Every structure is written in C-alpha cells, then in structure tokens.
Amino acid sequence: LNGAAPDAVAPELANVAGEALRARGRRDEAEALFARAAQTRVPDALQARLNHAVSLWDRGVRDEALRIFDSFIDTYNDGSARSADELAAVGSAVRYLGLGDPALFRDAVRAYEEAARLDAQHAESRILAGELFLEKYNSTEAQALFREVLAVNPRHPAALLGMARAKAFDGTDEALALVDSSLAVNPHAVAARVFRARVLLGLERYDSAAADVRRALDVNPASL
C-alpha cells in the first residue's frame, strides 16, 4: 500500500485496505479508498460507505457525513441490508444520527440485535451494542453482551477491552487485568493502549502510562 493510488487497489480490497491505513493514521488515503469502495458493488460496499461517513465526520465535514448516515435508514427500510455485517453498519450509522435525536439510539440497538439474531456467531454486533449501552451508562447490559462474545471466544480482544471499560465504569479493580489480556492478543491495538494509559494515570503510574501512549502513537501518529 505504500504510495499506491486508490485506483491501483482492487475494489474488493479497497475497504479493508482503507481500514488498515486508517489504523496507521493515514487518514486521507483511507478516506479515498472508502469512497471508492462505497461506489462499487463489492460485498462490503455498505461498510465502506459507513467508513467514508465516519472519516468525514472525524475531520469535521459533518453535513455531508450526516447525509450519508441518513441514507442508511432508507437502506434498512427497503431491505437492502441483508447480512449481519450490513445490519451492524446500519446500527452504527444510526448511532451517529442519535447524537442529534437520542430516540434513534433505540433503533441502533434494534439493528445490532437483528444482526445478532441473523448470525449467532456475529461478535461485532454484540460488541457494538455493548459499547453503546456503556456509552449510555448501562454497564449491566453492556457486560452481558461482552460475556456472550467471551463465552464463544475468551480471547476476543475487543470484547476483553469492552469488559475492561465496563469494569472501570463500575469502579472495580479488574480493568487493568482485562485490558492486559486484550493487549496480549493484539499488542498493537491503539484503543486498548490508550485505555490502559488512562487506567494507569488513575493509579498515578505516570511513566507506565506515558509508555503506553508512546506505543499507541508508534502505531497511529494521528491518534488524537
């Protein structure tokens, strides 16, 4: 991917390549790939459309991002979202719309639940729903969803991170061990590194927190 133009990447790989570049802080290149994939008929075109909108949102192009997020409602209503991945993408788009209309958060949860019913092994929909519940201060529901994922895969890094966040929200001392377990699976996960740094700051372990921040920035120099 080094220096490759978006058009040089096969359409079937454009969204995945964009996600990889975004994780490394190469946001402009990632956005171009998302935009390209979203205009094709590849299986993950809807996820690419979501990624494109999130990219626009993150750099402040909010009106255009909201227009794209809003289009996911039509996608849901006309039955175009058929797979668990597509329903989860709808849920995430509606989650952004919920920032302007909190009543829509329930619709986001409903889309995640439909994805989970459609595919009993679809971990991402449960994790996304758990993160949303935690964002809305409902640690009990969040932990139940993270546990569902961990019952199938005890080493799922995103579920372990979600559980760590929930335990930190509850004020227990389990958060550090859980995030350490997540990082043992994926030591390059920026979100987990940043969360671990926050936990260490709370414990006044400032040097260790700074080391985690540096490791996160080594992976993604653009991480806010």
PDB file of all heavy atoms in Angstrom, residues 129-153:
ATOM      1  N   ALA A 129     -23.131  -3.094  20.239  1.00  0.00           N
ATOM      2  CA  ALA A 129     -24.274  -2.820  21.123  1.00  0.00           C
ATOM      3  C   ALA A 129     -23.804  -2.625  22.557  1.00  0.00           C
ATOM      4  O   ALA A 129     -24.288  -1.732  23.272  1.00  0.00           O
ATOM      5  CB  ALA A 129     -25.287  -3.949  21.040  1.00  0.00           C
ATOM      6  N   GLY A 130     -22.850  -3.449  22.999  1.00  0.00           N
ATOM      7  CA  GLY A 130     -22.319  -3.305  24.346  1.00  0.00           C
ATOM      8  C   GLY A 130     -21.661  -1.959  24.555  1.00  0.00           C
ATOM      9  O   GLY A 130     -21.846  -1.308  25.593  1.00  0.00           O
ATOM     10  N   GLU A 131     -20.892  -1.503  23.553  1.00  0.00           N
ATOM     11  CA  GLU A 131     -20.256  -0.191  23.655  1.00  0.00           C
ATOM     12  C   GLU A 131     -21.297   0.916  23.743  1.00  0.00           C
ATOM     13  O   GLU A 131     -21.113   1.900  24.483  1.00  0.00           O
ATOM     14  CB  GLU A 131     -19.346   0.026  22.455  1.00  0.00           C
ATOM     15  CG  GLU A 131     -18.108  -0.865  22.463  1.00  0.00           C
ATOM     16  CD  GLU A 131     -17.307  -0.780  21.184  1.00  0.00           C
ATOM     17  OE1 GLU A 131     -17.820  -0.225  20.187  1.00  0.00           O
ATOM     18  OE2 GLU A 131     -16.159  -1.274  21.165  1.00  0.00           O
ATOM     19  N   LEU A 132     -22.392   0.758  22.986  1.00  0.00           N
ATOM     20  CA  LEU A 132     -23.447   1.778  23.031  1.00  0.00           C
ATOM     21  C   LEU A 132     -24.127   1.792  24.394  1.00  0.00           C
ATOM     22  O   LEU A 132     -24.381   2.864  24.960  1.00  0.00           O
ATOM     23  CB  LEU A 132     -24.457   1.514  21.924  1.00  0.00           C
ATOM     24  CG  LEU A 132     -25.633   2.494  21.822  1.00  0.00           C
ATOM     25  CD1 LEU A 132     -25.151   3.941  21.744  1.00  0.00           C
ATOM     26  CD2 LEU A 132     -26.499   2.159  20.612  1.00  0.00           C
ATOM     27  N   PHE A 133     -24.429   0.614  24.947  1.00  0.00           N
ATOM     28  CA  PHE A 133     -25.025   0.568  26.286  1.00  0.00           C
ATOM     29  C   PHE A 133     -24.099   1.209  27.314  1.00  0.00           C
ATOM     30  O   PHE A 133     -24.559   1.952  28.195  1.00  0.00           O
ATOM     31  CB  PHE A 133     -25.331  -0.878  26.684  1.00  0.00           C
ATOM     32  CG  PHE A 133     -26.640  -1.389  26.170  1.00  0.00           C
ATOM     33  CD1 PHE A 133     -26.693  -2.489  25.319  1.00  0.00           C
ATOM     34  CD2 PHE A 133     -27.831  -0.786  26.532  1.00  0.00           C
ATOM     35  CE1 PHE A 133     -27.901  -2.961  24.837  1.00  0.00           C
ATOM     36  CE2 PHE A 133     -29.060  -1.256  26.068  1.00  0.00           C
ATOM     37  CZ  PHE A 133     -29.087  -2.354  25.210  1.00  0.00           C
ATOM     38  N   LEU A 134     -22.808   0.940  27.207  1.00  0.00           N
ATOM     39  CA  LEU A 134     -21.868   1.514  28.157  1.00  0.00           C
ATOM     40  C   LEU A 134     -21.805   3.028  28.003  1.00  0.00           C
ATOM     41  O   LEU A 134     -21.713   3.762  28.999  1.00  0.00           O
ATOM     42  CB  LEU A 134     -20.482   0.892  27.947  1.00  0.00           C
ATOM     43  CG  LEU A 134     -19.436   1.168  29.028  1.00  0.00           C
ATOM     44  CD1 LEU A 134     -19.932   0.740  30.402  1.00  0.00           C
ATOM     45  CD2 LEU A 134     -18.134   0.452  28.684  1.00  0.00           C
ATOM     46  N   GLU A 135     -21.862   3.491  26.763  1.00  0.00           N
ATOM     47  CA  GLU A 135     -21.878   4.930  26.495  1.00  0.00           C
ATOM     48  C   GLU A 135     -23.088   5.589  27.143  1.00  0.00           C
ATOM     49  O   GLU A 135     -23.041   6.755  27.546  1.00  0.00           O
ATOM     50  CB  GLU A 135     -21.914   5.131  24.985  1.00  0.00           C
ATOM     51  CG  GLU A 135     -21.839   6.560  24.507  1.00  0.00           C
ATOM     52  CD  GLU A 135     -21.874   6.636  22.997  1.00  0.00           C
ATOM     53  OE1 GLU A 135     -20.930   6.132  22.358  1.00  0.00           O
ATOM     54  OE2 GLU A 135     -22.866   7.165  22.451  1.00  0.00           O
ATOM     55  N   LYS A 136     -24.184   4.824  27.264  1.00  0.00           N
ATOM     56  CA  LYS A 136     -25.417   5.325  27.871  1.00  0.00           C
ATOM     57  C   LYS A 136     -25.517   4.932  29.351  1.00  0.00           C
ATOM     58  O   LYS A 136     -26.606   4.921  29.922  1.00  0.00           O
ATOM     59  CB  LYS A 136     -26.634   4.817  27.091  1.00  0.00           C
ATOM     60  CG  LYS A 136     -26.653   5.279  25.647  1.00  0.00           C
ATOM     61  CD  LYS A 136     -26.573   6.786  25.548  1.00  0.00           C
ATOM     62  CE  LYS A 136     -26.328   7.274  24.151  1.00  0.00           C
ATOM     63  NZ  LYS A 136     -26.078   8.735  24.102  1.00  0.00           N
ATOM     64  N   TYR A 137     -24.373   4.606  29.942  1.00  0.00           N
ATOM     65  CA  TYR A 137     -24.261   4.355  31.390  1.00  0.00           C
ATOM     66  C   TYR A 137     -24.994   3.102  31.849  1.00  0.00           C
ATOM     67  O   TYR A 137     -25.425   3.004  32.996  1.00  0.00           O
ATOM     68  CB  TYR A 137     -24.756   5.569  32.190  1.00  0.00           C
ATOM     69  CG  TYR A 137     -24.157   6.871  31.722  1.00  0.00           C
ATOM     70  CD1 TYR A 137     -24.933   7.812  31.047  1.00  0.00           C
ATOM     71  CD2 TYR A 137     -22.814   7.152  31.911  1.00  0.00           C
ATOM     72  CE1 TYR A 137     -24.379   9.000  30.589  1.00  0.00           C
ATOM     73  CE2 TYR A 137     -22.249   8.326  31.451  1.00  0.00           C
ATOM     74  CZ  TYR A 137     -23.031   9.248  30.795  1.00  0.00           C
ATOM     75  OH  TYR A 137     -22.478  10.416  30.331  1.00  0.00           O
ATOM     76  N   ASN A 138     -25.140   2.136  30.944  1.00  0.00           N
ATOM     77  CA  ASN A 138     -25.791   0.880  31.318  1.00  0.00           C
ATOM     78  C   ASN A 138     -24.742  -0.230  31.274  1.00  0.00           C
ATOM     79  O   ASN A 138     -24.623  -0.972  30.297  1.00  0.00           O
ATOM     80  CB  ASN A 138     -26.944   0.584  30.356  1.00  0.00           C
ATOM     81  CG  ASN A 138     -27.781  -0.602  30.810  1.00  0.00           C
ATOM     82  OD1 ASN A 138     -27.308  -1.454  31.553  1.00  0.00           O
ATOM     83  ND2 ASN A 138     -29.016  -0.667  30.351  1.00  0.00           N
ATOM     84  N   SER A 139     -23.975  -0.320  32.354  1.00  0.00           N
ATOM     85  CA  SER A 139     -22.897  -1.296  32.410  1.00  0.00           C
ATOM     86  C   SER A 139     -23.418  -2.727  32.467  1.00  0.00           C
ATOM     87  O   SER A 139     -22.795  -3.640  31.917  1.00  0.00           O
ATOM     88  CB  SER A 139     -22.018  -1.018  33.633  1.00  0.00           C
ATOM     89  OG  SER A 139     -21.046  -2.001  33.807  1.00  0.00           O
ATOM     90  N   THR A 140     -24.558  -2.936  33.089  1.00  0.00           N
ATOM     91  CA  THR A 140     -25.100  -4.287  33.235  1.00  0.00           C
ATOM     92  C   THR A 140     -25.403  -4.912  31.878  1.00  0.00           C
ATOM     93  O   THR A 140     -24.996  -6.048  31.585  1.00  0.00           O
ATOM     94  CB  THR A 140     -26.373  -4.262  34.094  1.00  0.00           C
ATOM     95  OG1 THR A 140     -26.056  -3.716  35.381  1.00  0.00           O
ATOM     96  CG2 THR A 140     -26.940  -5.666  34.267  1.00  0.00           C
ATOM     97  N   GLU A 141     -26.138  -4.177  31.018  1.00  0.00           N
ATOM     98  CA  GLU A 141     -26.455  -4.682  29.684  1.00  0.00           C
ATOM     99  C   GLU A 141     -25.184  -4.838  28.857  1.00  0.00           C
ATOM    100  O   GLU A 141     -25.037  -5.806  28.087  1.00  0.00           O
ATOM    101  CB  GLU A 141     -27.421  -3.728  28.977  1.00  0.00           C
ATOM    102  CG  GLU A 141     -28.799  -3.656  29.603  1.00  0.00           C
ATOM    103  CD  GLU A 141     -29.665  -4.846  29.236  1.00  0.00           C
ATOM    104  OE1 GLU A 141     -29.212  -5.696  28.444  1.00  0.00           O
ATOM    105  OE2 GLU A 141     -30.797  -4.937  29.742  1.00  0.00           O
ATOM    106  N   ALA A 142     -24.271  -3.891  28.995  1.00  0.00           N
ATOM    107  CA  ALA A 142     -23.020  -3.956  28.232  1.00  0.00           C
ATOM    108  C   ALA A 142     -22.240  -5.217  28.580  1.00  0.00           C
ATOM    109  O   ALA A 142     -21.783  -5.951  27.690  1.00  0.00           O
ATOM    110  CB  ALA A 142     -22.178  -2.719  28.506  1.00  0.00           C
ATOM    111  N   GLN A 143     -22.085  -5.483  29.865  1.00  0.00           N
ATOM    112  CA  GLN A 143     -21.300  -6.645  30.277  1.00  0.00           C
ATOM    113  C   GLN A 143     -21.946  -7.949  29.827  1.00  0.00           C
ATOM    114  O   GLN A 143     -21.250  -8.908  29.464  1.00  0.00           O
ATOM    115  CB  GLN A 143     -21.108  -6.645  31.791  1.00  0.00           C
ATOM    116  CG  GLN A 143     -20.167  -5.548  32.269  1.00  0.00           C
ATOM    117  CD  GLN A 143     -19.866  -5.648  33.750  1.00  0.00           C
ATOM    118  OE1 GLN A 143     -19.508  -6.709  34.250  1.00  0.00           O
ATOM    119  NE2 GLN A 143     -19.996  -4.539  34.453  1.00  0.00           N
ATOM    120  N   ALA A 144     -23.275  -7.995  29.820  1.00  0.00           N
ATOM    121  CA  ALA A 144     -23.960  -9.209  29.365  1.00  0.00           C
ATOM    122  C   ALA A 144     -23.604  -9.504  27.909  1.00  0.00           C
ATOM    123  O   ALA A 144     -23.381 -10.667  27.529  1.00  0.00           O
ATOM    124  CB  ALA A 144     -25.466  -9.051  29.527  1.00  0.00           C
ATOM    125  N   LEU A 145     -23.527  -8.467  27.081  1.00  0.00           N
ATOM    126  CA  LEU A 145     -23.191  -8.655  25.670  1.00  0.00           C
ATOM    127  C   LEU A 145     -21.730  -9.044  25.489  1.00  0.00           C
ATOM    128  O   LEU A 145     -21.400  -9.915  24.684  1.00  0.00           O
ATOM    129  CB  LEU A 145     -23.514  -7.375  24.894  1.00  0.00           C
ATOM    130  CG  LEU A 145     -25.009  -7.122  24.706  1.00  0.00           C
ATOM    131  CD1 LEU A 145     -25.277  -5.663  24.379  1.00  0.00           C
ATOM    132  CD2 LEU A 145     -25.564  -8.015  23.611  1.00  0.00           C
ATOM    133  N   PHE A 146     -20.851  -8.406  26.235  1.00  0.00           N
ATOM    134  CA  PHE A 146     -19.432  -8.772  26.142  1.00  0.00           C
ATOM    135  C   PHE A 146     -19.221 -10.217  26.593  1.00  0.00           C
ATOM    136  O   PHE A 146     -18.419 -10.956  26.014  1.00  0.00           O
ATOM    137  CB  PHE A 146     -18.570  -7.825  26.976  1.00  0.00           C
ATOM    138  CG  PHE A 146     -18.623  -6.388  26.533  1.00  0.00           C
ATOM    139  CD1 PHE A 146     -18.664  -5.353  27.454  1.00  0.00           C
ATOM    140  CD2 PHE A 146     -18.624  -6.064  25.187  1.00  0.00           C
ATOM    141  CE1 PHE A 146     -18.707  -4.042  27.055  1.00  0.00           C
ATOM    142  CE2 PHE A 146     -18.668  -4.734  24.765  1.00  0.00           C
ATOM    143  CZ  PHE A 146     -18.713  -3.721  25.704  1.00  0.00           C
ATOM    144  N   ARG A 147     -19.966 -10.647  27.615  1.00  0.00           N
ATOM    145  CA  ARG A 147     -19.842 -12.024  28.100  1.00  0.00           C
ATOM    146  C   ARG A 147     -20.292 -13.028  27.037  1.00  0.00           C
ATOM    147  O   ARG A 147     -19.736 -14.126  26.934  1.00  0.00           O
ATOM    148  CB  ARG A 147     -20.660 -12.219  29.378  1.00  0.00           C
ATOM    149  CG  ARG A 147     -20.032 -11.614  30.614  1.00  0.00           C
ATOM    150  CD  ARG A 147     -20.691 -12.128  31.889  1.00  0.00           C
ATOM    151  NE  ARG A 147     -20.289 -11.331  33.030  1.00  0.00           N
ATOM    152  CZ  ARG A 147     -20.981 -10.318  33.531  1.00  0.00           C
ATOM    153  NH1 ARG A 147     -22.159  -9.990  32.992  1.00  0.00           N
ATOM    154  NH2 ARG A 147     -20.538  -9.639  34.569  1.00  0.00           N
ATOM    155  N   GLU A 148     -21.326 -12.668  26.269  1.00  0.00           N
ATOM    156  CA  GLU A 148     -21.774 -13.562  25.197  1.00  0.00           C
ATOM    157  C   GLU A 148     -20.639 -13.840  24.219  1.00  0.00           C
ATOM    158  O   GLU A 148     -20.445 -14.982  23.773  1.00  0.00           O
ATOM    159  CB  GLU A 148     -22.964 -12.946  24.453  1.00  0.00           C
ATOM    160  CG  GLU A 148     -24.281 -12.997  25.198  1.00  0.00           C
ATOM    161  CD  GLU A 148     -25.416 -12.483  24.340  1.00  0.00           C
ATOM    162  OE1 GLU A 148     -25.374 -12.665  23.106  1.00  0.00           O
ATOM    163  OE2 GLU A 148     -26.364 -11.876  24.891  1.00  0.00           O
ATOM    164  N   VAL A 149     -19.909 -12.798  23.883  1.00  0.00           N
ATOM    165  CA  VAL A 149     -18.794 -12.958  22.944  1.00  0.00           C
ATOM    166  C   VAL A 149     -17.676 -13.773  23.584  1.00  0.00           C
ATOM    167  O   VAL A 149     -17.111 -14.688  22.961  1.00  0.00           O
ATOM    168  CB  VAL A 149     -18.268 -11.580  22.487  1.00  0.00           C
ATOM    169  CG1 VAL A 149     -17.060 -11.742  21.578  1.00  0.00           C
ATOM    170  CG2 VAL A 149     -19.370 -10.798  21.776  1.00  0.00           C
ATOM    171  N   LEU A 150     -17.351 -13.452  24.831  1.00  0.00           N
ATOM    172  CA  LEU A 150     -16.249 -14.133  25.509  1.00  0.00           C
ATOM    173  C   LEU A 150     -16.570 -15.589  25.819  1.00  0.00           C
ATOM    174  O   LEU A 150     -15.656 -16.415  25.944  1.00  0.00           O
ATOM    175  CB  LEU A 150     -15.886 -13.385  26.791  1.00  0.00           C
ATOM    176  CG  LEU A 150     -15.282 -11.986  26.559  1.00  0.00           C
ATOM    177  CD1 LEU A 150     -15.171 -11.222  27.870  1.00  0.00           C
ATOM    178  CD2 LEU A 150     -13.917 -12.102  25.890  1.00  0.00           C
ATOM    179  N   ALA A 151     -17.854 -15.927  25.907  1.00  0.00           N
ATOM    180  CA  ALA A 151     -18.227 -17.324  26.113  1.00  0.00           C
ATOM    181  C   ALA A 151     -17.861 -18.170  24.901  1.00  0.00           C
ATOM    182  O   ALA A 151     -17.538 -19.357  25.022  1.00  0.00           O
ATOM    183  CB  ALA A 151     -19.722 -17.431  26.399  1.00  0.00           C
ATOM    184  N   VAL A 152     -17.883 -17.556  23.730  1.00  0.00           N
ATOM    185  CA  VAL A 152     -17.512 -18.248  22.488  1.00  0.00           C
ATOM    186  C   VAL A 152     -16.012 -18.172  22.251  1.00  0.00           C
ATOM    187  O   VAL A 152     -15.373 -19.145  21.867  1.00  0.00           O
ATOM    188  CB  VAL A 152     -18.275 -17.645  21.294  1.00  0.00           C
ATOM    189  CG1 VAL A 152     -17.832 -18.295  19.981  1.00  0.00           C
ATOM    190  CG2 VAL A 152     -19.781 -17.798  21.486  1.00  0.00           C
ATOM    191  N   ASN A 153     -15.451 -16.984  22.504  1.00  0.00           N
ATOM    192  CA  ASN A 153     -14.014 -16.763  22.295  1.00  0.00           C
ATOM    193  C   ASN A 153     -13.460 -15.975  23.472  1.00  0.00           C
ATOM    194  O   ASN A 153     -13.530 -14.747  23.496  1.00  0.00           O
ATOM    195  CB  ASN A 153     -13.779 -15.996  20.988  1.00  0.00           C
ATOM    196  CG  ASN A 153     -12.300 -15.723  20.738  1.00  0.00           C
ATOM    197  OD1 ASN A 153     -11.433 -16.151  21.499  1.00  0.00           O
ATOM    198  ND2 ASN A 153     -12.002 -14.994  19.672  1.00  0.00           N
TER     199      ASN A 153
END
